[in-house]
Amino acid sequence: MLTLKESTLVLAKIRVHHGNAPITDLEARTFHEELRSDLTLQEALEAVKRFYADNSTGRWCGSGDINGIVRKLRNGAKPSEAQIGRECERLGLVEDQAWLYRRQRMMGRSPDESRRVALTARDPLRLPSAKPKRRREDGGFNPGLGVALDEVLATRRPAES
C-alpha cells in the first residue's frame, strides 16, 4: 500500500508533465484516497510512465487512469490456464491440490507461494464440522412470565388454582 508521501511523489511525477504545477494538501490526500489500496510505488510510477507514453490528447493522468493501467498490468501478468496446468503436472499436484494451486495463481501469488499453500492445506473444499448447540436446562423457552411453552401454543390448558 502506498503511503501519503509515496502517492504525492506519483502526483509530482504527473505534474512534471504539466509544468510542475504546485500540489496542495487537499489534492495530495484526495489523490491518495482514490488510488487502489494494494498499489505499490513501482506499479504506480510504471502506470504514469505508460499513460504519458501513449497520451497524445494532452489529458492529465488521474488516479482512475493509474488504477486501470495497474489492473491491466496485473491481469497480463497472470498465467494462462495451460501454463498453470503444466505447472501442476510438473509439481505432481492432483485434484484438490491442483485446484487450490490454480486459485492461488489466479489471485496473483507466485508459483512458490501457491505451491506451499496447496501442499499445506488440509482439504480446501471441506467445510469445518458443525459445533453442537448448547442445550438449555429449562427447555429453551423462558418468557419470564411463568408460562410454559405448551400453554402459549395452546396444546395444554393452564393449571387452574
Side-chain angles (χ1 to χ4, degrees), residues 9-161:
L9 176 66
V10 174
L11 185 57
K13 184 173 181 177
I14 293 170
R15 297 292 174 103
V16 165
H17 292 276
H18 302 283
N20 287 327
I23 301 170
T24 66
D25 184 54
L26 178 61
E27 286 174 323
R29 291 186 186 284
T30 303
F31 185 75
H32 177 71
E33 291 170 0
E34 293 171 350
L35 291 174
R36 294 174 59 126
S37 61
D38 60 345
L39 200 63
T40 66
L41 179 60
Q42 292 76 21
E43 288 175 325
L45 293 173
E46 179 63 23
V48 171
K49 178 178 152 187
R50 288 176 185 240
F51 178 85
Y52 284 108
D54 296 336
N55 186 19
S56 60
T57 63
R59 190 170 78 75
W60 287 47
C61 179
S63 54
D65 297 313
I66 292 173
N67 292 339
I69 292 169
V70 169
R71 184 176 53 251
K72 287 177 185 175
L73 288 172
R74 287 182 181 176
N75 286 338
K78 288 181 183 175
S80 67
E81 285 290 329
Q83 181 182 348
I84 294 174
R86 289 189 297 271
E87 291 173 3
C88 286
E89 285 178 19
R90 183 177 48 79
L91 295 170
L93 302 175
V94 292
E95 298 177 1
D96 293 345
Q97 289 178 337
W99 175 84
L100 188 56
Y101 180 85
R102 175 175 274 107
R103 184 170 188 269
Q104 297 299 313
R105 291 290 281 139
M106 292 310 289
M107 288 172 49
R109 296 216 166 92
S110 70
D112 291 335
E113 187 179 359
S114 299
R115 183 181 141 281
R116 182 186 52 75
V117 169
L119 293 176
T120 58
R122 285 181 279 171
D123 186 358
L125 302 177
R126 184 177 209 165
L127 294 174
S129 58
K131 294 182 175 127
K133 293 184 179 178
R134 191 176 124 254
R135 296 195 69 144
R136 292 182 60 163
E137 301 281 327
D138 57 0
F141 183 76
N142 189 4
L145 303 173
V147 183
L149 178 61
D150 49 356
E151 290 177 23
V152 172
L153 298 175
T155 56
R156 180 178 72 156
R157 295 197 170 269
E160 296 189 21
S161 314

